[in-house]
Amino acid sequence: MAAPVVSSISPNQGPMSGGNTVTLTGTGFSGATAVRFGGNSAISFTVFGSTRIVAVVPSGAGVVNVTVTTSEGTSAQAVTYTYVAAPSLSSLSPDRGPVSGGIVVTLTGANLSSATAVRFDGIAALSSTVVSATQISAVAPAHAAGSAAVTVTTVGGTSNSLTFSYVLEPSVTGLTPAQGPASGGTVVTLTGANLSGATAVRFDGIAAPTFTVVSATEISAVTPARTAGSAAVTVTTPGGTSNPENPSMYFYYAAVPSLISVTPTSGNTAGGTVVTITGTGLSGATAVNFDGIAAASFTVGSSTVLTAVTPAHAAGAAAVTVTTPGGTGNPLNYDYFDTPTLSAVTPTLGPTYAGNTVTLTGTSLTTTTDVRFDGAAASFTVLSPTEVTAVAPAGSAGPATVTVVTTAGVSNGLTYTRVAGPGI
């Protein structure tokens, strides 16, 4: 009979610690007395006829020859077995991700070439690619929130484990304030859940220039500049991006409002005058002020018109401003006047026919809009804040009450008496 011949071994590699089972095929195996891996005997072996032996590999290192010995001799050294060093991991990047999985994780370490599995707490990675002996790219599987032990298995064994943290998806439930100018720069407080570790805060995809994670439920962010309109606010963390289908909305107002006119331009110091303010960017007005005094009330009609009720104010000029989330606009002048008063009518007598000129003396007559004799309008001329001349209209003989109307109100009445001419 001839000496045994080993033609193949499967698998032909394994861990340096040994203990794995391999199958040798060849001829002349009957009555085998030894199976050796280099100079080390197999831990055990079983002969299955003359062509197959199943052996348990001993510990070893490097590439060794595998031989079988029978009473007819020892096989020639033609088949080799490779001892593979156990893999090891040194880092994961990133080391956290969403509970839904799907994130690509780069594993760095040593002896990773023959990787057969990457596991996260025993759950196989969705896919993995051996980049080199020191790097593997793996797609994390879904996993409950918390820590997961990541390991790599090769023919050399299973590596040490590194921790990968699974993080819940963030959510944003509130914004304060929820509006601001298109120029940006507004500090907004975002409230929600799972906000720790935020890597980005975006307003319609535009990154906030700065933000601070206050806690797991709060972030302070500065709004970026953006065109006027609504913007979806999202927070991105290792757990994903918040509310992708139902995001919180922030409203950008146009730039600082611009005022064009206020009508009327004057009124009574007691306030209560309804004025119309025109301009641009008036939508969302939060305040209308007269020299810093809030209007008694105001109503925004559109982005170009609002009405306001004047507050009380001392006589004189007042700066009218409108404030929106976009800022405070340019001021317009509004004049406050006291209610007009009359102290004298000269002369006090006149004919029943029209044309007699009378002088009205009093106070706060500058903005006179009307002079009336018992309700009948008279033509007039304002000479000064204290003097107005008027042409008395025709009327029946007898006393008539003379009043002056200004933008600040109606004066007290004085008596002018019409006297009938002599009869013929």
Side-chain angles (χ1 to χ4, degrees), residues 275-321:
V275 297
T276 298
I277 298 172
T278 63
T280 59
L282 305 182
S283 296
T286 56
V288 176
N289 291 312
F290 291 71
D291 260 2
I293 304 171
S297 65
F298 67 89
T299 302
V300 178
S302 69
S303 64
T304 59
V305 178
L306 65 77
T307 58
V309 177
T310 62
H313 186 284
V320 182
T321 58

Side-chain angles (χ1 to χ4, degrees), residues 3 21 41-42 150 163 184 193 205 236 265 267 278 287 290 311 320 323 367 391 405 416:
T21 299
S41 296
V150 181
T163 299
T236 299
T265 58
T278 63
F290 291 71
V320 182
T323 300
T367 61
V391 178
V405 179
Y416 173 79

Side-chain angles (χ1 to χ4, degrees), residues 27-47:
T27 58
F29 291 165
S30 297
T33 57
V35 175
R36 291 184 175 84
F37 291 76
N40 299 321
S41 296
I43 294 173
S44 64
F45 65 91
T46 302
V47 179

Side-chain angles (χ1 to χ4, degrees), residues 315-390:
V320 182
T321 58
V322 174
T323 300
T324 72
T328 298
N330 58 295
L332 293 179
N333 188 72
Y334 179 83
D335 292 310
Y336 277 93
F337 292 98
D338 290 317
T339 301
T341 64
L342 291 180
S343 56
V345 175
T346 305
T348 60
L349 301 176
T352 56
Y353 54 82
N356 189 41
T357 299
V358 298
T359 299
L360 307 176
T361 305
T363 61
S364 304
L365 304 180
T366 302
T367 61
T368 297
T369 58
D370 207 359
V371 175
R372 293 186 176 272
F373 287 69
D374 267 354
S379 61
F380 65 91
T381 302
V382 177
L383 301 180
S384 72
T386 60
E387 190 172 85
V388 172
T389 60

Side-chain angles (χ1 to χ4, degrees), residues 124-190:
L126 299 180
S127 65
S128 61
T129 302
V130 176
V131 179
S132 68
T134 60
Q135 191 174 92
I136 292 176
S137 177
V139 178
H143 186 286
S147 299
V150 181
T151 59
V152 173
T153 298
T154 70
V155 294
T158 297
S159 71
N160 59 300
S161 65
L162 293 180
T163 299
F164 183 85
S165 298
Y166 278 92
V167 182
L168 291 170
E169 183 179 89
S171 65
V172 176
T173 56
L175 303 173
T176 305
Q179 56 189 12
S183 57
T186 301
V187 178
V188 179
T189 298
L190 290 70

Side-chain angles (χ1 to χ4, degrees), residues 227-260:
T227 55
S230 296
V233 181
T234 57
V235 172
T236 299
T237 73
T241 298
S242 66
N243 314 61
E245 296 181 359
N246 186 30
S248 294
M249 304 301 292
Y250 180 84
F251 189 79
Y252 279 94
Y253 282 98
V256 177
S258 175
L259 302 188
I260 298 171

